[in-house]
Amino acid sequence: MRRIMVQAPEGRGQEVLRLAREHDAEGLAVVAGHDGDEALDLVYVHLPNAEVGDFLEAMEAVKGARSVLMPQSVLPLERPGTKVAEYIKNVQMLSPLEVWLNGLQSIGSWTGFLGYAVLAAVVAWVAMLTNSVFLLVAAMILAPFAGPAMNLAVATAAGDLSLAWKSLARYAAALLVTVLVTALLSIVLRQQVATDMMLEIGRISASAALLPLAAGAAAALNLIQAERSSLVGGTVVGVLVAASLAPPSALIGMAGALRMWPLARNGAFQVLLQLALINLSGAIVFHVHGLTPAGSIYKRGERRTMWVSVGLSLALLATLLAWQFSNPPILRRASQEREVRSTIQKVVQENALVRLVDTTVRITRDTRDGGQEYLLATVYVAPDGAELETDADVETGIRRAIQMRLTERGFDLPPYIDVTLLTPP
């Protein structure tokens, strides 16, 4: 529940109480007060979260009334005290009005925002240079991407053009700072080759759209939950959003400094995909919750702004997905690795003489020239109880069968296959 203090003209406190009772208020009280020489009624109201917006809209009928919203949760208890656990009221989701107000409040100073962006970029650069996963997680915690991302979703749902522009400006600033800082560090400290983590982040799966889709929805759910009813902490959700944006942003800067333009292009693709999908999924959750341009309290909202934002996000998403699934499949390498691994398993299973022991598949790049991609596969097989020919003949036959199968399936990279027949010592 939320506490609201209303300053009403003298004699109109009872009218405020009536409106509060119509919105399931509890813990009501009216006391006489003064604002200088002006007499007034002070009304204390405790409302369910979902009723806050509707109550404040209804308060417009009380001319001259002013309201103060306490953004902290309160827990109304009923006696006897020995049964507090049974009588405590259920905590509800925040009202759409409070979600919108929280979005406005979260736009803080540029100094702190850019400071965190620089620090996150430095940590991300070190993490990717040293292939350190825990440092990359630390960079995601520091990266200030979650605020602008979710404010943009709030602005889309509410049709608030002013909030949308401010969110986009901070979004762009954080991305630009990350790219410039990581590129500058790579140049000044003379980074020569791409690291394994850079190559890993640059590999894109056909299901890449699922991460930002889940991140936007999860972050929106976290923002509409009351403090005591959220099962997942805000920091965790913020890391999920930053995980969609911080690593590819750093990749753009580092790959650009190395002039590995295909790798930088993959990072840019991921950033744009996250921007479109986080905005769409977050805005949908907010809209279902009731945050729409129709609210009379937040009159800045326009339906036209909402539809333009949604339309631009959908157009960007459609363009990116069309590009991703066009030929050659440069933006689906992670999925191709799984397809190649499956093909190898099927080829070996069709050979009655051997059984598959292990296989590893990687699509990687030449880190010196920054352009050529290679498929590298290592296959270990063992005799399956039958009398075999020479090791070399078996290995050559399996290698050729795998290469032929990949060629038949239209694989666009020349495969380099290493087959090893394991024999008893």
Side-chain angles (χ1 to χ4, degrees), residues 49-298:
N49 293 346
E51 297 292 332
V52 170
D54 292 339
F55 171 72
L56 292 178
E57 289 187 16
M59 280 293 301
E60 291 188 349
V62 184
K63 300 300 181 182
R66 293 177 294 177
S67 304
V68 177
L69 171 64
M70 312 297 180
Q72 292 79 28
S73 293
V74 294
L75 301 176
L77 307 179
E78 297 182 18
R79 300 192 64 83
T82 56
K83 296 185 178 181
V84 165
E86 299 179 17
Y87 287 101
I88 193 168
K89 302 300 182 183
N90 292 330
V91 182
Q92 299 178 344
M93 292 184 177
L94 302 183
S95 67
L97 170 64
E98 196 167 352
V99 173
W100 180 70
L101 292 176
N102 288 340
L104 295 179
Q105 282 187 312
S106 65
I107 298 179
S109 69
W110 277 99
T111 303
F113 180 80
L114 294 178
Y116 276 116
V118 171
L119 292 175
V122 172
V123 176
W125 183 84
V126 175
M128 294 175 69
L129 185 70
T130 59
N131 297 313
S132 175
V133 175
F134 75 89
L135 282 180
L136 190 61
V137 174
M140 295 174 192
I141 295 174
L142 286 173
F145 289 112
M150 298 320 299
N151 278 345
L152 182 59
V154 169
T156 297
D160 189 337
L161 184 60
S162 176
L163 180 60
W165 280 121
K166 291 179 180 178
S167 302
L168 280 173
R170 295 170 77 85
Y171 220 143
L175 293 174
L176 184 61
V177 166
T178 303
V179 171
L180 292 178
V181 169
T182 51
L184 185 61
L185 288 172
S186 295
I187 294 172
V188 171
L189 298 179
R190 299 182 180 181
Q191 181 184 358
Q192 299 296 322
V193 297
T195 63
D196 291 341
M197 184 171 286
M198 289 176 61
L199 298 175
E200 180 65 28
I201 293 173
R203 282 203 294 270
I204 302 174
S205 169
S207 58
L210 295 180
L211 173 59
L213 192 67
L221 284 173
N222 184 265
L223 291 177
I224 65 178
Q225 295 286 329
E227 296 93 319
R228 292 181 177 86
S229 65
S230 181
L231 300 177
V232 180
T235 301
V236 177
V237 177
V239 170
L240 178 60
V241 175
S244 304
L245 296 165
S249 302
L251 177 64
I252 296 173
M254 296 177 74
L258 295 174
R259 297 185 180 180
M260 298 183 67
W261 305 121
L263 203 57
R265 173 206 55 209
N266 287 7
F269 171 85
Q270 292 184 68
V271 167
L272 292 174
L273 184 68
Q274 325 295 359
L275 172 63
L277 276 172
I278 289 175
N279 183 43
L280 280 174
S281 61
I284 289 173
V285 172
F286 289 135
H287 185 79
V288 171
H289 179 57
L291 183 59
T292 67
S296 63
I297 298 295
Y298 33 95

Side-chain angles (χ1 to χ4, degrees), residues 308-350:
V308 168
S309 180
V310 170
L312 289 175
S313 296
L314 287 173
L316 178 59
L317 175 61
T319 301
L320 292 172
L321 292 181
W323 181 26
Q324 182 182 21
F325 290 97
S326 63
N327 288 318
I330 53 178
L331 299 175
R332 291 183 283 123
R333 292 307 190 200
S335 297
Q336 282 191 317
E337 290 179 356
R338 293 194 297 270
E339 294 171 5
V340 171
R341 190 176 294 108
S342 176
T343 299
I344 292 174
Q345 291 175 349
K346 291 179 181 178
V347 169
V348 175
Q349 288 174 358
E350 293 171 0

